[in-house]
Each structure stands twice: as structure tokens, then as C-alpha cells.
Amino acid sequence: MPELTLVIDRDEIQRQVSKIAQAISRDYRGRELVMIGVLKGAFLFLADLARQVRLEKISIDFLQASSYGADTLSSGKIILKKDIDVDVRGKDVLVIEDIVDTGLTLSHLIDHLQGFKPASVKVCAVIDKRERRKTDIRIDYVGSVMEKGFLVGYGLDYAETYRNLPDIYQMKL
Ligand code: IMP
Ligand code: MG
């Protein structure tokens, strides 16, 4: 068993979700929002967030990307494994991510989504991990900022395990 150290507990996560949901509800008042979760890591965050955002019209969709040959660091070569179905032209898009590390996945996904001519594209992430950032991507709504470390839980995996943990842990690799 790898060693796991608790870093963000479920109560703190839910406080962050509530804060972000309030900000989104305020910023998008009167608008039509499409929340796009990035599979698989964002599944819990999107589920929690979507239930707290107060807007008349919200649609939900998913994207899945994967990077070649990546273990714990993204290789920079991203392939789209699942595209969106919802028509986002002229709508406000909010991309929901688990964690932004190098930022390469997200910048690729944003470029892809811009191709559909949405009114806007913003980004929301549970964790903004700064040390390895390779792009100057802007994360509009963020739960926690971390310098480094490998995290698991609340959607974040290590080799597909630990996504289901309700809290976020630092893992010793
Ligand atoms: P990026 O393209 O380097 O920003 O990588 C983003 C993706 O890498 C995330 O959506 C995660 O799937 C994965 N990732 C990056 N850091 C971690 C981590 O600390 N724990 C689990 N997955 C991570
Ligand atoms: Mg992952």
C-alpha cells in the first residue's frame, strides 16, 4: 500500500464547492451555461457543483482526453477520446477539471471547444497545481492551490484507483 496523507478533507472540499457554486451562480445570472466535465477525474466535482449552482438553464456534458505514454506527468500529446454532444455555439461554456498540472490538457481542450464558437469558455478546477505549469492558462474558479505533490481522491486517481475517496490525499510515489 502506498502511503497516503490527508491534505483536504471532505468538509473543506464541500466549503470550496459551495463558494465556487455561489460565484458561478452570480457570474452567469441570466445566461445559459454548459458545464463540461473532463472525464474521468471531474465526475464527483461536477456532480457536487452542478447541484449547487443556481441558474435557470444549465446543460451538462463531458469530454475525455488522454495523453500518450503518461504515467504521472502528462506527455503533452493529447488525444480526444470523447467529444461533447451538446451544441455550445453562442453559449457560455465552463470546463470542469479535477486538477491542472502542466496545463497542456486544458489548453488543448479549450482550443478544441473554441472551434464550436461558444460565447465564452471559462475553467473551473478542484486543484491548481503550479510547479510544473507549462502554459499561461487562466483558471477562473479554483478550490485549492498547491505547489507540487501527487494527489489522489475526490476523482483524482493513481493508475485508476482512489477516485472514489471522499477526501484528497497526498501520495508518496
Ligand atoms: P496536465 O495536462 O499536466 O495539466 O494534466 C492534467 C491531468 O493529469 C489531470 O486532469 C489529471 O488527470 C492528471 N494529474 C495531474 N496531476 C495529478 C495528481 O496530482 N493526481 C492525479 N492526477 C493528476
Ligand atoms: Mg487522470
Side-chain angles (χ1 to χ4, degrees):
M1 264 301 262
E3 199 179 309
L4 302 184
T5 312
L6 181 66
V7 285
I8 312 168
D9 71 24
R10 62 197 75 181
D11 295 339
E12 178 58 21
I13 294 170
Q14 291 311 319
R15 276 194 291 277
Q16 295 173 352
V17 169
S18 299
K19 260 193 173 169
I20 294 171
Q22 279 174 26
I24 292 170
S25 306
R26 183 191 61 223
D27 296 350
Y28 290 94
R29 185 171 301 148
R31 312 278 303 177
E32 185 172 345
L33 184 64
V34 186
M35 298 176 81
I36 301 181
V38 183
L39 293 170
K40 305 171 192 169
F43 82 114
L44 291 177
F45 185 38
L46 176 59
D48 285 345
L49 203 54
R51 282 178 290 182
Q52 289 202 42
V53 172
R54 295 283 170 262
L55 291 170
E56 293 250 319
K57 279 186 111 178
I58 296 179
S59 29
I60 308 282
D61 208 341
F62 295 94
L63 270 174
Q64 185 166 18
S66 75
S67 55
Y68 290 110
D71 181 11
T72 61
L73 177 64
S74 128
S75 64
K77 284 184 202 144
I78 282 108
I79 43 164
L80 200 64
K81 289 174 80 178
K82 190 228 170 284
D83 205 348
I84 53 169
D85 303 312
V86 168
D87 181 9
V88 298
R89 180 177 288 265
K91 295 177 189 163
D92 292 306
V93 165
L94 185 59
V95 181
I96 315 294
E97 256 283 27
D98 51 358
I99 187 165
V100 183
D101 184 14
T102 63
L104 292 168
T105 306
L106 205 49
S107 63
H108 180 90
L109 292 179
I110 291 169
D111 285 350
H112 172 71
L113 290 169
Q114 294 287 12
F116 295 112
K117 307 277 180 245
S120 70
V121 180
K122 283 191 178 184
V123 173
C124 179
V126 184
I127 311 276
D128 174 2
K129 192 166 75 176
R130 298 264 169 93
E131 194 190 34
R132 303 197 288 194
R133 191 66 41 83
K134 289 195 181 120
T135 57
D136 59 356
I137 210 153
R138 176 193 155 88
I139 307 170
D140 302 278
Y141 306 95
V142 62
S144 298
V145 176
M146 309 277 295
E147 241 348 271
K148 55 185 171 187
F150 193 81
L151 306 177
V152 295
Y154 196 64
L156 292 157
D157 74 305
Y158 173 68
E160 295 299 332
T161 55
Y162 305 123
R163 287 193 202 277
N164 59 305
L165 300 179
D167 311 285
I168 296 175
Y169 296 83
Q170 174 133 13
M171 191 176 121
K172 243 195 205 138
L173 292 166

